Amino acid sequence: LRVSISDFVPSSYAFRLLNASTATPMVSGQVVEGRLEPTGESVIYSVDVAAGDRLFVDLRDLATRTYSYDALKGFWHYNYSSTVRIVDPYGRTVATQDIGDAELVATVSGRYSIVLDGSLVYDTPVAYRMAVFVHKPGEPRPIDLTVTTEAMDLVVQDVSAGPAVLGSTLQS
């Protein structure tokens, strides 16, 4: 672990190690519900994924995220600022974003972790309902260019056209 700063002012730092082996295991299609408190907590779920599978994290029923001025605190902020991270079996973060739906194609097989990072201390609690889906890649459909089929012969017959008159209706 290396922490670097760009100024000469003493600062306090804190970090936390999360044990991925304690993650709540999920299967494709399973729905879980929870709540992130504004204490900086993180919640970890895990799912087994094969290389090439599409992993979709569906976060439902999230409160609307709003940006407003807090007169008591004297600054503008969002009502919550949680994130969702997806970590591959080697501990690499492969997707991270504000909390909401997330999707990726797995590059390696193994257990992926879905980490919901909690809000900041001045945020409101965030209730969530989450489903995780693992979709196998589709089977390729071969196109055989050596087989030729006889093309359909379209023949247009009995078609006539007349002049269009301003203000009248067109007839076919």
Side-chain angles (χ1 to χ4, degrees):
L1 174 70
R2 182 165 84 184
V3 176
S4 63
I5 59 173
S6 61
D7 58 12
F8 296 106
V9 178
S11 300
S12 298
Y13 297 94
F15 68 93
R16 171 184 55 210
L17 294 176
L18 300 174
N19 186 351
S21 68
T22 63
T24 302
M26 294 182 71
V27 294
S28 184
Q30 182 178 353
V31 177
V32 294
E33 294 182 3
R35 180 179 167 112
L36 291 172
E37 296 296 332
T39 58
E41 74 172 312
S42 295
V43 179
I44 306 175
Y45 297 94
S46 64
V47 64
D48 290 323
V49 181
D53 287 354
R54 182 171 299 279
L55 174 61
F56 181 68
V57 178
D58 184 11
L59 280 149
R60 306 170 182 189
D61 305 328
L62 288 173
T64 302
R65 193 166 180 224
T66 59
Y67 191 70
S68 61
Y69 183 75
D70 187 331
L72 294 175
K73 295 181 179 74
F75 57 86
W76 289 84
H77 68 93
Y78 286 102
N79 54 334
Y80 64 86
S81 51
S82 302
T83 58
V84 59
R85 288 185 296 129
I86 301 175
V87 180
D88 75 6
Y90 295 107
R92 300 175 296 202
T93 298
V94 292
T96 186
Q97 65 187 45
D98 288 339
I99 196 165
D101 296 347
E103 183 176 16
L104 64 83
V105 174
T107 56
V108 296
S109 296
R111 180 155 290 194
Y112 280 70
S113 298
I114 297 130
V115 182
L116 303 180
D117 287 321
S119 304
L120 301 174
V121 294
Y122 51 83
D123 289 351
T124 58
V126 181
Y128 63 89
R129 185 169 183 228
M130 181 180 74
V132 174
F133 298 96
V134 178
H135 298 285
K136 300 292 179 197
E139 290 296 318
R141 299 185 75 183
I143 300 173
D144 188 355
L145 299 176
T146 61
V147 176
T148 57
T149 57
E150 199 166 310
M152 186 181 291
D153 187 13
L154 299 176
V155 177
V156 179
Q157 298 176 348
D158 300 323
V159 175
S160 63
V165 178
L166 182 63
S168 66
T169 59
L170 295 177
Q171 296 184 9
S172 59

